[in-house]
Amino acid sequence: MKTPNPVDLLFAGMDKLSPGDDSLSLYVLRSLPQHWFEVVVDAGCGAGRQTIVLASDLRAPIQAVDSYQPFLNRLKRRVEEKGLAHLVQLHCMDMKDIPRVFPAIDLLWAEGAAYNIGFANALTTWAKAIKPNGFAVVSELCWLREQVPDAAREFFQSGYPDMQSVPQNIATAEECGYKIFNSYSLPEQAWVKDYYDVLEPRAKSLANHSDVAVRDLAVETLKEIETFKISAGSYGYVFFVLQR
């Protein structure tokens, strides 16, 4: 009997694989001082929620990069349904290899993905490939207040111990060779709508699954959601709009 993939079970059919909001993605995109980019890379695209926003608005080719083929397969189906397949090219690869494959990038977009290779490491790695005056738009999980509930602090001690404050991340970006163009915080609703409100009942239904890996992911997801509920706005995703 084939062992179930916990990620596939939990996220099956979901277009939104992390906190996010189409209208905010579009707002941030349109805040850029130019609107034509020859080479656009969506790093860690997942199932492509924001990829579709980029392709629909820019009407330019989007290089969609993710290391998990099932997510790319879902994105492929979605862009075909929306008539955008000619604008989205899929690449199953590691984000750290982006400069080798795309050595001259006008706009690099990464929503909720940079932490996979570390925020500072991601910015340093991608800086090699972003053209002078080109842009990187990267959303990163940040501490938003000095006062953090103990439960939230404890959760991220194991979940994301390298999480920094917004000023710390701005300083990191500048050290990596970027100028800060702007920043935008993701509203609370962007975590809940079509994400946590879908994941929570799914995770509850999988919490007693026969496979230990599935159970572990479900329990960890429920813990994450509960942490968010008691976090009192102490952390969140922040878009950093950066220029080389």
Side-chain angles (χ1 to χ4, degrees), residues 199-218:
L199 277 183
E200 187 170 23
R202 285 192 182 188
K204 285 179 179 177
S205 73
L206 295 171
N208 295 309
H209 196 277
S210 58
D211 184 83
V212 64
V214 174
R215 288 200 307 272
D216 286 350
L217 180 60

Side-chain angles (χ1 to χ4, degrees), residues 6-27:
V7 172
D8 289 343
L9 280 178
L10 188 62
F11 291 97
M14 289 180 63
D15 298 332
K16 189 169 168 178
L17 302 177
S18 64
D21 178 80
D22 286 2
S23 61
L24 182 59
S25 296
L26 185 60
Y27 179 83

Side-chain angles (χ1 to χ4, degrees), residues 43-93:
C45 64
R49 179 196 59 77
Q50 71 290 330
T51 317
I52 289 171
V53 173
L54 295 172
S56 298
D57 199 59
L58 292 176
R59 307 308 298 183
I62 311 297
Q63 309 299 329
V65 171
D66 203 275
S67 61
Y68 194 57
Q69 187 63 51
F71 289 160
L72 292 173
N73 293 343
R74 175 153 182 77
L75 174 54
K76 183 175 185 291
R77 290 193 296 271
R78 294 185 68 213
V79 295
E80 287 172 352
E81 290 167 1
K82 293 178 178 294
L84 296 170
H86 64 295
L87 292 176
V88 178
Q89 298 175 25
L90 309 177
H91 306 269
C92 189
M93 55 181 276

Side-chain angles (χ1 to χ4, degrees), residues 21-182:
D21 178 80
D22 286 2
S23 61
L24 182 59
S25 296
L26 185 60
Y27 179 83
V28 174
L29 177 63
R30 291 181 174 175
S31 76
L32 298 175
Q34 64 188 79
H35 209 64
W36 168 251
F37 304 97
E38 188 174 351
V39 179
V40 182
V41 175
D42 183 8
C45 64
R49 179 196 59 77
Q50 71 290 330
T51 317
I52 289 171
V53 173
L54 295 172
S56 298
D57 199 59
L58 292 176
R59 307 308 298 183
I62 311 297
Q63 309 299 329
V65 171
D66 203 275
S67 61
Y68 194 57
Q69 187 63 51
F71 289 160
L72 292 173
N73 293 343
R74 175 153 182 77
L75 174 54
K76 183 175 185 291
R77 290 193 296 271
R78 294 185 68 213
V79 295
E80 287 172 352
E81 290 167 1
K82 293 178 178 294
L84 296 170
H86 64 295
L87 292 176
V88 178
Q89 298 175 25
L90 309 177
H91 306 269
C92 189
M93 55 181 276
D94 196 300
M95 290 189 298
K96 70 178 186 298
D97 294 328
I98 284 173
R100 177 179 57 80
V101 181
F102 307 104
I105 299 170
D106 297 291
L107 172 63
L108 186 140
W109 196 276
E111 288 200 38
Y115 80 93
N116 284 295
I117 59 173
F119 183 67
N121 181 45
L123 293 187
T124 301
T125 299
W126 298 336
K128 304 167 191 172
I130 298 173
K131 293 178 184 176
N133 298 316
F135 287 90
V137 177
V138 183
S139 71
E140 171 68 353
L141 196 58
C142 303
W143 295 116
L144 301 178
R145 299 190 306 136
E146 289 188 13
Q147 298 299 318
V148 179
D150 290 342
R153 186 77 71 182
E154 288 167 13
F155 178 80
F156 286 105
Q157 273 296 348
S158 59
Y160 192 19
D162 295 330
M163 186 156 69
Q164 304 290 315
S165 68
V166 173
Q168 286 173 318
N169 281 325
I170 288 175
T172 295
E174 290 173 340
E175 288 167 10
C176 294
Y178 299 85
K179 295 179 289 185
I180 304 300
F181 188 77
N182 220 326

